[in-house]
């Protein structure tokens, strides 16, 4: 439903939810179920969040589908049947539309509406939220479900406006088919998106040139269709699956090994890695306990994957160019279908743009410092301004008119309490905000935990007749410190990646994700609530702080 100009209208609601992806849909469902007047605002023309926009060729989830869904409703779980181990984007989008229909959510979602600002008014303890087309909404609770990786990073390359061909970013892919037949295509970026798109585009294009800055480790997904029996078994095990993934470290049922990679002999280790390689998916990352914590342990798996690259890629020079040197897993661990094999195709070439950087986009294509490449289409698989990008797109202001962007010093001083709340912004809740475990696992599990915690908190406020809740500055500082200390115990902070903000020009560096795992994080959040929301203050209806 396109919105119309509504400049003078103020809608009054109990809660406003931003986004209609996995987070927004479930939050809306729970708030409405609890009897709160609620509306979700969504910039896209339909539900799905990142799965609405990430329509690029080959887009697929890298968590196994029977776990990559909601588990709050047994009925929903049993009504939906996934078709393959790793779901394709169109199937995930169909699933989210199915959820929206089943729970009749669409009637409370305003599509094609971007939120411009959200300002907290201390005298009334309410948020005033404004849309880009001038509508104002006054709400008690302001809840962001904007996604951790939803603001596209289109590098500021000289000359893009002059390019005569078409160009696309993977995260804003058109919904109509982009036809690469007979075209000379260039793709920039070899992260999760590039690694998925490259093999598919290569099959269609006349020629594909991959502009690679950092080579990537990726392991075979070994995707396959599910049998009816397998799906049936998952449905029968619904309660067990739900319990296991909710208590797990990464929202998946496979428990990570408790062995060090250095405890095994090279022969045993090789066998362990070979088996994980054969199994596909994330198995290799979980094969030893210390792969992300110990440099020598990490080198064992990194070297194994490099040896596989040399086995698969026929041209030794290309294989060498494709071989990464950073610590495996410290950029997002990728799973693929025929990624390295694609470089054996005669219509694919690899350009190392670390060695010869891109100088400019010309009318005809891309010019690097040592060559010019004529192209009909350029695909930017250049990622996202993660964690804070989508929050900063809105002008969010808390007490004393302080903006979130200023409080967090444009990203260099992000601090939250539990990744859900931040001091000075009462009644604002972030679903999978910075300093929550979010992207380091199977997202729907993280999302459900946050939504349920927020819902319980709101119920608590209503039951105790409290106007607002606010994170305390000292609790927040302690949480942020804890997050940094945990991250520093891992290898994550030793690699430049979007996790550390290093992919965005001028963005401050810092690892803004809780690495302690979903299960322990859930326990901590539950404990905080059980202790009467320890670390938070309450504002009474009479506007006193208790
Ligand atoms: O983005 P990325 P993504 N010149 O930031 C390169 C999730 N996701 O969209 O590594 C040249 O990982 C950049 O190079 P470098 C998942 O969490 C999940 O692929 O910075 N190159 C890199 O190669 C993932 O982690 C799924 O040196 C430039 C690439 O672009 C996150 O989204 C699928 C450049 C960006 O990689 C982001 O993944 C897709 C420049 N100026 C995404 N700027 C699944 O579930 C950037 N690059 C499967």
């Amino acid at each position: 439903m396109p919105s119309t100009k509504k400049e003078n209208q103020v809608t009054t609601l109990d809660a406003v939810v931003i986004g209609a992806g996995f987070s927004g849909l479930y939050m809306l469902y729970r708030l409405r179920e609890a009897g709160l007047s609620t509306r979700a605002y969504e910039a896209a023309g339909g539900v799905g969040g990142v799965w609405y926009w990430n329509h690029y060729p080959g887009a697929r989830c890298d968590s196994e589908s029977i776990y990559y869904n909601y588990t709050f409703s047994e009925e929903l779980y049993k009504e939906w049947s996934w078709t393959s181990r790793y779901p394709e984007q169109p199937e995930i989008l169909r699933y989210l539309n199915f959820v929206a229909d089943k729970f009749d959510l669409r009637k409370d979602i305003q599509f094609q509406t971007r939120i411009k600002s959200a300002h907290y008014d201390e005298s009334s303890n309410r948020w005033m939220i404004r849309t880009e087309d001038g509508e104002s909404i006054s709400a008690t609770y302001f809840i962001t479900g904007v996604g951790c990786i939803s603001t596209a990073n289109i590098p500021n390359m000289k000359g893009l406006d002059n390019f005569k061909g078409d160009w696309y970013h993977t995260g804003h892919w058109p919904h109509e088919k982009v036809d690469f037949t007979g075209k000379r295509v260039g793709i920039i970026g070899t992260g999760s998106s590039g690694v998925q798109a490259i093999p598919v585009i290569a099959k269609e294009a006349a020629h594909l040139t991959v502009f690679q800055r950092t080579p990537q480790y990726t392991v075979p997904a070994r995707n396959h269709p599910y049998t009816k029996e397998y799906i049936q078994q998952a449905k029968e095990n619904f309660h067990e699956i739900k319990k296991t993934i909710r208590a797990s470290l990464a929202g998946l049922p496979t428990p990570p090994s408790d062995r060090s990679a250095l405890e095994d002999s090279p022969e045993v280790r090789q066998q362990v890695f070979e088996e994980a390689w054969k199994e596909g998916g994330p198995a290799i990352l979980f094969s030893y306990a210390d792969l992300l914590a110990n440099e020598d342990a990490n080198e064992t798996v990194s070297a194994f994957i490099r040896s596989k690259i040399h086995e698969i890629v026929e041209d030794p020079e290309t294989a060498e160019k494709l071989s990464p040197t950073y610590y495996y897993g410290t950029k997002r661990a990728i799973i693929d279908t025929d990624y390295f094999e694609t470089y054996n195709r005669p219509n694919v070439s690899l350009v190392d743009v670390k060695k010869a950087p891109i100088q400019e986009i010309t009318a005809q294509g891309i010019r690097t410092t040592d060559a010019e490449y004529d192209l009909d289409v350029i695909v930017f698989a250049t990622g996202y301004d993660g964690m804070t990008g989508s929050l900063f797109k809105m002008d969010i202001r808390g007490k004393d008119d302080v903006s979130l962007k200023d409080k967090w010093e444009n990203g260099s001083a992000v601090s939250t309490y539990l990744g859900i709340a931040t001091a000075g912004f009462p009644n604002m809740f972030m679903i999978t905000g910075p300093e929550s475990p979010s992207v380091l696992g199977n997202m729907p599990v993280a999302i459900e935990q946050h939504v349920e915690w927020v819902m319980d908190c709101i119920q608590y406020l209503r039951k105790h007749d409290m106007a607002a809740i606010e994170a305390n500055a000292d609790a927040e500082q302690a949480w942020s410190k804890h997050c940094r200390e945990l991250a520093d115990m891992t290898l994550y902070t030793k690699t430049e990646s979007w996790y550390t903000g290093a992919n965005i020009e001028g963005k401050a560096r810092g690892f803004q994700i809780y690495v302690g795992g979903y299960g322990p994080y859930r326990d901590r959040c539950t404990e905080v609530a059980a202790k009467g929301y320890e670390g938070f203050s309450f504002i009474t209806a009479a506007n006193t702080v208790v």
Side-chain angles (χ1 to χ4, degrees), residues 224-256:
H224 55 73
Y226 276 147
T227 61
K228 275 200 175 116
E229 295 70 38
Y230 188 81
I231 287 287
Q232 191 49 35
Q233 206 181 6
K235 290 181 181 182
E236 280 161 21
N237 287 339
F238 168 75
H239 292 288
E240 190 53 34
I241 288 176
K242 176 175 175 173
K243 195 169 133 211
T244 310
I245 62 179
R246 286 182 171 217
S248 70
L249 288 178
L252 295 167
T254 328

Short mmCIF file of all heavy atoms in Angstrom, two decimals, residues 224-256:
data_model
loop_
_atom_site.label_atom_id
_atom_site.label_comp_id
_atom_site.label_asym_id
_atom_site.label_seq_id
_atom_site.Cartn_x
_atom_site.Cartn_y
_atom_site.Cartn_z
N HIS A 224 21.49 -30.13 -1.26
CA HIS A 224 20.75 -31.22 -1.92
C HIS A 224 19.28 -31.10 -1.55
O HIS A 224 18.94 -30.51 -0.52
CB HIS A 224 21.30 -32.59 -1.52
CG HIS A 224 21.33 -32.79 -0.03
ND1 HIS A 224 20.19 -33.00 0.73
CD2 HIS A 224 22.35 -32.78 0.84
CE1 HIS A 224 20.54 -33.12 1.99
NE2 HIS A 224 21.84 -32.98 2.10
N PRO A 225 18.41 -31.67 -2.38
CA PRO A 225 16.98 -31.62 -2.04
C PRO A 225 16.72 -32.44 -0.78
O PRO A 225 17.41 -33.44 -0.52
CB PRO A 225 16.28 -32.26 -3.24
CG PRO A 225 17.31 -32.38 -4.30
CD PRO A 225 18.64 -32.37 -3.65
N TYR A 226 15.74 -32.02 0.00
CA TYR A 226 15.33 -32.82 1.16
C TYR A 226 14.38 -33.92 0.71
O TYR A 226 13.57 -33.72 -0.20
CB TYR A 226 14.56 -31.93 2.14
CG TYR A 226 15.40 -31.11 3.10
CD1 TYR A 226 14.95 -29.86 3.52
CD2 TYR A 226 16.60 -31.59 3.62
CE1 TYR A 226 15.68 -29.11 4.42
CE2 TYR A 226 17.33 -30.84 4.52
CZ TYR A 226 16.88 -29.60 4.92
OH TYR A 226 17.59 -28.86 5.82
N THR A 227 14.44 -35.05 1.38
CA THR A 227 13.43 -36.07 1.12
C THR A 227 12.22 -35.78 2.01
O THR A 227 12.34 -35.10 3.04
CB THR A 227 13.96 -37.48 1.46
OG1 THR A 227 14.26 -37.49 2.87
CG2 THR A 227 15.20 -37.83 0.65
N LYS A 228 11.08 -36.34 1.62
CA LYS A 228 9.86 -36.16 2.43
C LYS A 228 10.07 -36.72 3.84
O LYS A 228 9.60 -36.16 4.82
CB LYS A 228 8.71 -36.93 1.76
CG LYS A 228 8.04 -36.14 0.69
CD LYS A 228 6.65 -36.71 0.40
CE LYS A 228 5.95 -35.83 -0.59
NZ LYS A 228 5.65 -36.45 -1.85
N GLU A 229 10.81 -37.84 3.91
CA GLU A 229 11.03 -38.51 5.20
C GLU A 229 11.85 -37.59 6.13
O GLU A 229 11.59 -37.49 7.32
CB GLU A 229 11.80 -39.84 5.03
CG GLU A 229 11.06 -40.92 4.26
CD GLU A 229 10.91 -40.62 2.76
OE1 GLU A 229 11.85 -40.07 2.16
OE2 GLU A 229 9.82 -40.91 2.20
N TYR A 230 12.85 -36.94 5.56
CA TYR A 230 13.72 -36.08 6.36
C TYR A 230 12.92 -34.92 6.96
O TYR A 230 13.03 -34.60 8.15
CB TYR A 230 14.88 -35.56 5.49
CG TYR A 230 15.94 -34.82 6.27
CD1 TYR A 230 16.92 -35.49 6.97
CD2 TYR A 230 15.94 -33.42 6.32
CE1 TYR A 230 17.89 -34.81 7.69
CE2 TYR A 230 16.89 -32.72 7.05
CZ TYR A 230 17.88 -33.43 7.73
OH TYR A 230 18.82 -32.74 8.45
N ILE A 231 12.09 -34.33 6.10
CA ILE A 231 11.27 -33.21 6.55
C ILE A 231 10.28 -33.68 7.63
O ILE A 231 10.09 -33.01 8.65
CB ILE A 231 10.48 -32.62 5.34
CG1 ILE A 231 11.44 -31.85 4.44
CG2 ILE A 231 9.31 -31.76 5.75
CD1 ILE A 231 11.88 -30.52 5.02
N GLN A 232 9.70 -34.84 7.39
CA GLN A 232 8.74 -35.39 8.35
C GLN A 232 9.40 -35.60 9.72
O GLN A 232 8.83 -35.27 10.76
CB GLN A 232 8.16 -36.71 7.79
CG GLN A 232 6.96 -37.25 8.54
CD GLN A 232 5.88 -36.18 8.78
OE1 GLN A 232 5.66 -35.30 7.95
NE2 GLN A 232 5.24 -36.23 9.95
N GLN A 233 10.62 -36.13 9.64
CA GLN A 233 11.35 -36.40 10.88
C GLN A 233 11.63 -35.09 11.65
O GLN A 233 11.49 -35.04 12.87
CB GLN A 233 12.67 -37.06 10.51
CG GLN A 233 13.23 -37.92 11.60
CD GLN A 233 14.56 -38.52 11.15
OE1 GLN A 233 15.08 -38.20 10.08
NE2 GLN A 233 15.10 -39.38 11.97
N ALA A 234 12.00 -34.06 10.89
CA ALA A 234 12.26 -32.75 11.53
C ALA A 234 10.99 -32.27 12.22
O ALA A 234 11.03 -31.77 13.35
CB ALA A 234 12.74 -31.74 10.49
N LYS A 235 9.87 -32.42 11.54
CA LYS A 235 8.61 -31.94 12.12
C LYS A 235 8.27 -32.70 13.40
O LYS A 235 7.79 -32.14 14.38
CB LYS A 235 7.48 -32.04 11.09
CG LYS A 235 7.64 -31.03 9.96
CD LYS A 235 6.52 -31.10 8.96
CE LYS A 235 6.80 -30.06 7.86
NZ LYS A 235 5.77 -30.00 6.85
N GLU A 236 8.53 -34.00 13.34
CA GLU A 236 8.25 -34.81 14.54
C GLU A 236 9.17 -34.43 15.70
O GLU A 236 8.81 -34.57 16.86
CB GLU A 236 8.40 -36.30 14.21
CG GLU A 236 7.15 -36.83 13.52
CD GLU A 236 7.39 -38.14 12.78
OE1 GLU A 236 8.37 -38.83 13.10
OE2 GLU A 236 6.59 -38.44 11.88
N ASN A 237 10.39 -33.96 15.34
CA ASN A 237 11.36 -33.59 16.39
C ASN A 237 11.32 -32.11 16.73
O ASN A 237 12.28 -31.56 17.27
CB ASN A 237 12.79 -33.92 15.91
CG ASN A 237 13.02 -35.41 15.93
OD1 ASN A 237 12.32 -36.14 16.62
ND2 ASN A 237 13.97 -35.86 15.13
N PHE A 238 10.22 -31.46 16.40
CA PHE A 238 10.13 -30.01 16.56
C PHE A 238 10.61 -29.55 17.94
O PHE A 238 11.45 -28.66 18.05
CB PHE A 238 8.68 -29.54 16.32
CG PHE A 238 8.46 -28.12 16.74
CD1 PHE A 238 8.94 -27.08 15.98
CD2 PHE A 238 7.79 -27.82 17.94
CE1 PHE A 238 8.76 -25.76 16.37
CE2 PHE A 238 7.62 -26.50 18.34
CZ PHE A 238 8.10 -25.47 17.55
N HIS A 239 10.10 -30.17 19.00
CA HIS A 239 10.42 -29.67 20.35
C HIS A 239 11.90 -29.83 20.67
O HIS A 239 12.53 -28.96 21.28
CB HIS A 239 9.55 -30.37 21.40
CG HIS A 239 8.12 -29.97 21.27
ND1 HIS A 239 7.65 -28.73 21.63
CD2 HIS A 239 7.05 -30.64 20.77
CE1 HIS A 239 6.35 -28.63 21.36
NE2 HIS A 239 5.97 -29.79 20.84
N GLU A 240 12.45 -30.96 20.23
CA GLU A 240 13.87 -31.22 20.48
C GLU A 240 14.74 -30.22 19.71
O GLU A 240 15.70 -29.66 20.24
CB GLU A 240 14.17 -32.67 20.01
CG GLU A 240 15.52 -33.21 20.40
CD GLU A 240 15.82 -33.11 21.89
OE1 GLU A 240 14.88 -33.24 22.71
OE2 GLU A 240 17.00 -32.87 22.22
N ILE A 241 14.38 -30.00 18.44
CA ILE A 241 15.14 -29.04 17.61
C ILE A 241 15.10 -27.66 18.24
O ILE A 241 16.12 -27.00 18.41
CB ILE A 241 14.56 -29.00 16.16
CG1 ILE A 241 14.92 -30.29 15.42
CG2 ILE A 241 15.06 -27.78 15.39
CD1 ILE A 241 14.32 -30.42 14.03
N LYS A 242 13.89 -27.26 18.63
CA LYS A 242 13.73 -25.92 19.22
C LYS A 242 14.60 -25.76 20.47
O LYS A 242 15.33 -24.78 20.62
CB LYS A 242 12.25 -25.71 19.55
CG LYS A 242 11.92 -24.43 20.24
CD LYS A 242 10.42 -24.27 20.41
CE LYS A 242 10.11 -23.03 21.21
NZ LYS A 242 8.68 -22.74 21.27
N LYS A 243 14.53 -26.76 21.33
CA LYS A 243 15.28 -26.69 22.58
C LYS A 243 16.79 -26.64 22.29
O LYS A 243 17.52 -25.84 22.86
CB LYS A 243 14.93 -27.93 23.42
CG LYS A 243 15.34 -27.83 24.84
CD LYS A 243 14.73 -28.97 25.64
CE LYS A 243 15.83 -29.56 26.49
NZ LYS A 243 15.73 -30.95 26.76
N THR A 244 17.22 -27.50 21.39
CA THR A 244 18.66 -27.61 21.12
C THR A 244 19.21 -26.34 20.48
O THR A 244 20.23 -25.81 20.92
CB THR A 244 18.94 -28.81 20.18
OG1 THR A 244 18.27 -29.94 20.71
CG2 THR A 244 20.41 -29.09 20.06
N ILE A 245 18.54 -25.83 19.46
CA ILE A 245 19.13 -24.67 18.78
C ILE A 245 19.07 -23.42 19.67
O ILE A 245 19.96 -22.58 19.61
CB ILE A 245 18.53 -24.42 17.37
CG1 ILE A 245 17.04 -24.10 17.39
CG2 ILE A 245 18.82 -25.58 16.44
CD1 ILE A 245 16.45 -23.82 15.99
N ARG A 246 18.05 -23.35 20.51
CA ARG A 246 17.96 -22.17 21.39
C ARG A 246 19.05 -22.16 22.46
O ARG A 246 19.47 -21.10 22.91
CB ARG A 246 16.58 -22.09 22.02
CG ARG A 246 15.53 -21.63 21.01
CD ARG A 246 14.14 -21.49 21.58
NE ARG A 246 13.26 -20.84 20.62
CZ ARG A 246 12.31 -19.97 20.91
NH1 ARG A 246 12.08 -19.65 22.17
NH2 ARG A 246 11.56 -19.43 19.97
N ALA A 247 19.51 -23.35 22.85
CA ALA A 247 20.55 -23.41 23.88
C ALA A 247 21.96 -23.42 23.29
O ALA A 247 22.94 -23.30 24.00
CB ALA A 247 20.34 -24.66 24.72
N SER A 248 22.04 -23.57 21.98
CA SER A 248 23.35 -23.79 21.34
C SER A 248 24.15 -22.50 21.24
O SER A 248 23.64 -21.41 21.51
CB SER A 248 23.13 -24.34 19.94
OG SER A 248 22.59 -23.31 19.14
N LEU A 249 25.40 -22.64 20.79
CA LEU A 249 26.26 -21.46 20.66
C LEU A 249 25.92 -20.63 19.43
O LEU A 249 26.02 -19.41 19.44
CB LEU A 249 27.73 -21.89 20.59
CG LEU A 249 28.34 -22.40 21.91
CD1 LEU A 249 29.77 -22.83 21.70
CD2 LEU A 249 28.27 -21.34 23.01
N ALA A 250 25.54 -21.32 18.33
CA ALA A 250 25.35 -20.59 17.08
C ALA A 250 23.97 -20.80 16.47
O ALA A 250 23.76 -20.54 15.28
CB ALA A 250 26.42 -21.00 16.08
N GLY A 251 23.02 -21.27 17.27
CA GLY A 251 21.66 -21.44 16.75
C GLY A 251 21.52 -22.65 15.84
O GLY A 251 20.57 -22.75 15.07
N LEU A 252 22.48 -23.56 15.94
CA LEU A 252 22.46 -24.78 15.12
C LEU A 252 22.65 -25.98 16.04
O LEU A 252 23.27 -25.85 17.10
CB LEU A 252 23.57 -24.74 14.07
CG LEU A 252 23.42 -23.63 13.02
CD1 LEU A 252 24.71 -23.45 12.23
CD2 LEU A 252 22.25 -23.93 12.09
N PRO A 253 22.16 -27.15 15.64
CA PRO A 253 22.18 -28.25 16.60
C PRO A 253 23.54 -28.93 16.78
O PRO A 253 23.76 -29.57 17.79
CB PRO A 253 21.18 -29.25 16.00
CG PRO A 253 21.14 -28.94 14.56
CD PRO A 253 21.46 -27.49 14.40
N THR A 254 24.45 -28.76 15.79
CA THR A 254 25.73 -29.48 15.89
C THR A 254 26.57 -28.89 17.01
O THR A 254 26.94 -27.72 16.94
CB THR A 254 26.54 -29.32 14.59
OG1 THR A 254 25.64 -29.23 13.51
CG2 THR A 254 27.57 -30.40 14.42
N PRO A 255 26.89 -29.67 18.03
CA PRO A 255 27.74 -29.11 19.08
C PRO A 255 29.17 -28.99 18.56
O PRO A 255 29.66 -29.89 17.87
CB PRO A 255 27.67 -30.15 20.20
CG PRO A 255 27.18 -31.40 19.56
CD PRO A 255 26.55 -31.07 18.25
N PRO A 256 29.85 -27.86 18.81
CA PRO A 256 31.23 -27.76 18.35
C PRO A 256 32.10 -28.75 19.09
O PRO A 256 31.76 -29.16 20.22
CB PRO A 256 31.61 -26.33 18.68
CG PRO A 256 30.54 -25.78 19.53
CD PRO A 256 29.39 -26.71 19.56
#
